[in-house]
Amino acid sequence: MTEVIRSAAALREKVAAWKRSGMLVGVVPTMGALHDGHLSLARAARAQSDRVIVTIFVNPMQFNNPEDLKKYPRDETRDLALLEADGVDVLFAPGPDEVYPEGFATKVSVAGISAPMEGAFRPGHFDGVATVVSKLFGMTQAGRAFFGEKDWQQLQVVRRLVTDLNIPVDVIGCPTIREDDGLAMSSRNVRLSDAERAVAPALHRAMQAAAEAIRGGAPTGAALADARAAILAAGFGAVEYLDLRHAGTLEPIDRAGPPARLLVAAMLGEVRLIDNIAV
Ligand code: AMP
């Protein structure tokens, strides 16, 4: 049975009892509308911890676009059934007032690594992420936390924040889970029309082609320009960024091989898709 907990106080009591008996607690922070990507994190948590908490909180502070927040898919009943099936111990699903009670005044901001790419196109987004993740670590007191590589920049921001604030949690990055056609799973994919869904895999295809070209010695600038053109030609409305960067520092880089990472964000109709791969 997955127990649903909505208050931080009740969660704290539960976790304190687990910890008294020496258990390692794993947490998987999510915004719900769960798919196999999320569930792969829950399974990793199950395998690497004694007790598993999945959190579902659609965090208003990390949405720079009110329309995106309003349209974000929510289905807690379905989510709970999926978590039950995966043997998750607790679903922590606090309301906004539990997370941001009256008088809330603190913001966690990770400089540098938050600035480019997502940070440039979604101002304030990573402050919202860093703040809510810090709070979730405080509320869950977990020893291990599982994040997807799908949100590569977010994973680096969380690693930085945990180091900088001496938060006693091991951050574990888990590989991106994809549909058979290569599209990275995302809660936002359900908002794609059938026609857009057919176009969507072009994003990953173009990235793979660019990665291959760069590995084969093509100039990075030319390979990225070709990929941009291919993404737009497939039917995407805009490519916000398509950058080759150092996987850890996120500084621009122009050679293939570790630690090079190719990261992209592009608009397909009204839906913003992101992806990244090693080069
Ligand atoms: P979200 O609900 O989108 O905030 O995502 C919650 C967690 O699931 C984050 O750590 C994401 O990186 C991770 N995640 C989302 N999509 C995927 C995916 N396709 N594969 C692996 N992890 C994912």
Side-chain angles (χ1 to χ4, degrees), residues 28-41 55-57 62 72 125 129 146-152 154-155 158 172 174-179 183-189 274:
V28 180
T30 83
M31 298 203 297
L34 301 181
H35 51 65
D36 279 347
H38 298 115
L39 297 177
S40 75
L41 302 186
T55 72
I56 295 183
F57 179 60
Q62 74 187 68
Y72 202 83
H125 169 66
V129 170
F146 298 80
F147 289 86
E149 292 182 349
K150 154 91 189 329
D151 298 274
W152 187 270
Q154 168 175 282
L155 176 59
V158 171
I172 317 276
C174 302
T176 302
I177 305 298
R178 300 180 180 280
E179 304 287 357
L183 175 64
M185 290 191 184
S186 162
S187 303
R188 289 186 176 86
N189 291 353
I274 62 170

Side-chain angles (χ1 to χ4, degrees), residues 19-31:
K19 287 195 161 182
R20 275 195 300 276
S21 39
M23 288 179 180
L24 174 65
V25 179
V27 67
V28 180
T30 83
M31 298 203 297

Side-chain angles (χ1 to χ4, degrees), residues 111-133:
I113 214 161
S114 291
M117 300 187 289
E118 292 298 291
F121 284 91
R122 304 183 68 189
H125 169 66
F126 282 127
D127 289 354
V129 170
T131 302
V132 83
V133 167

